[in-house]
Amino acid sequence: MLAFSSCSKEKESTPQSESINTEVMGQIKALGFSTDDVRTVDGGYVVEGDMLLTPELLASAPGYSTLRVGGEEQYRTTNLVTGLPRTLTVSLSSQFPAAYGPAIDEAIARYNNANLQLHLTRVTTGTADLPVKYSADLGPGVLGQSGGFPSGGNPAPGFTLVPSVINSTNTNYIATIMAHEMGHCIGMRHTDYYNRQYSCGGRKANEGASTVGAILIPGTPSTAEPNSWMLACVGNGVNRPFTANDLTALNYIY
C-alpha cells in the first residue's frame, strides 16, 4: 500500500463540515480554501489537511486584483512575511526522537542555501518565531499541521508534527515534511492547489474558490510540477529538496 503523507491523510476522513456554522464556512470559502472536511481545532479550523485558519485570518479581507487560479503552478497566499531582510528563529521540542534534530537542521539549510532575504536560525532557548511542536495525535493519518499563514507581517507560529504517524528516522524525508510546513508558515500554498489528485490520488479536487486565496507566482510553470516541496502529499520516505521552480517561487517573494 502506498501511503501518502506530508499535508494529507492516508485515507478519506469523515467530513466534519456539517457541524460548523454557515458564517465560518462562508469565510473559509471567501478566502479561497476548500470547505471539504473542515476540522475544528484549538485555535481555529484546519482546512486542506494541514492548514490552520485562525479567527483573525478568517476575518481578514484579501485584495482580489492580482489573484488568479490556473494549473499546477507555485502559489502563495495573500499574506507574506514583511520587514525584509529578516531572520526567523526555529526551535524543536525536546519531545521529538533524536532523528528530528538533524532533520530540522537540514530543513533550515535548504532555505538558507536559497540565499533569500529570509534567514532561518535554530535556537534552544527563548520563544522562537517558528516552534516545531510535538503531538501524539492530530487525527487518523495526519502527519503534521501548520500554525496557519503569516499575519501582520509575521510568520505563522510554527507547526506541529506527529512522529508516530511519520514513522521514520530518514533525515531527508522528515526534513521534507518540515520544510513543507515552514512553507505554509511563510505564505506558500500547495503546488497542486488546482488539482490535489495530482499528488494525493483519489478524486480530482480544487482546494479553493476560483478567484480568491491563491496568487500565481510569476515564472513558475503552467504544467504539473512533479517534485515540488509544496505538493499536497508525499510518499513515505520521499525526499523533495527545492526544485528549480521552487527556487524561482521563493526568490520571487523573498
Side-chain angles (χ1 to χ4, degrees):
M1 178 180 294
L2 181 62
F4 292 105
S5 52
S6 187
C7 267
S8 185
K9 301 179 181 180
E10 294 180 6
K11 57 185 178 181
E12 292 292 324
S13 61
T14 302
Q16 300 184 31
S17 305
E18 294 179 3
S19 62
I20 299 173
N21 69 56
T22 55
E23 180 182 359
V24 169
M25 296 297 282
Q27 290 174 313
I28 291 171
K29 184 176 181 180
L31 283 172
F33 297 100
S34 172
T35 54
D36 291 340
D37 299 343
V38 178
R39 293 187 290 120
T40 303
V41 298
D42 290 341
Y45 303 89
V46 171
V47 299
E48 298 170 15
D50 74 334
M51 292 183 281
L52 176 68
L53 302 184
T54 63
E56 293 78 15
L57 182 58
L58 286 176
S60 67
Y64 301 136
S65 61
T66 61
L67 303 185
R68 169 189 161 187
V69 170
E72 291 89 350
E73 300 96 344
Q74 275 78 354
Y75 286 89
R76 68 174 178 88
T77 65
T78 55
N79 298 335
L80 295 175
V81 177
T82 58
L84 306 177
R86 184 170 175 180
T87 295
L88 301 179
T89 54
V90 183
S91 64
L92 182 70
S93 169
S94 60
Q95 293 177 278
F96 283 104
Y100 283 68
I104 194 65
D105 291 338
E106 170 63 20
I108 289 171
R110 292 183 185 189
Y111 282 95
N112 290 342
N113 289 341
N115 295 316
L116 308 174
Q117 292 190 74
L118 277 184
H119 182 81
L120 303 181
T121 186
R122 184 177 173 187
V123 298
T124 56
T125 59
T127 302
D129 298 305
L130 298 174
V132 185
K133 293 161 277 192
Y134 173 94
S135 177
D137 181 24
L138 288 173
V142 179
L143 303 188
Q145 175 182 299
S146 75
F149 293 108
S151 177
N154 295 313
F159 55 93
T160 304
L161 297 179
V162 188
S164 62
V165 181
I166 294 173
N167 193 29
S168 177
T169 58
N170 183 312
T171 297
N172 284 326
Y173 172 52
I174 300 171
T176 293
I177 297 170
M178 289 175 164
H180 179 106
E181 300 301 347
M182 288 176 181
H184 286 316
C185 291
I186 63 173
M188 296 298 298
R189 286 201 65 173
H190 292 145
T191 304
D192 49 349
Y193 160 87
Y194 180 73
N195 180 12
R196 186 182 179 87
Q197 182 187 48
Y198 182 73
S199 69
C200 299
R203 63 185 176 85
K204 184 174 181 178
N206 185 314
E207 290 184 346
S210 61
T211 57
V212 184
I215 303 176
L216 170 67
I217 297 173
T220 60
S222 59
T223 55
E225 170 64 275
N227 298 308
S228 173
W229 101 108
M230 289 308 298
L231 287 171
C233 295
V234 61
N236 189 19
V238 172
N239 178 28
R240 284 186 181 147
F242 297 144
T243 67
N245 292 317
D246 291 337
L247 291 170
T248 295
L250 285 167
N251 278 279
Y252 183 84
I253 59 177
Y254 289 120

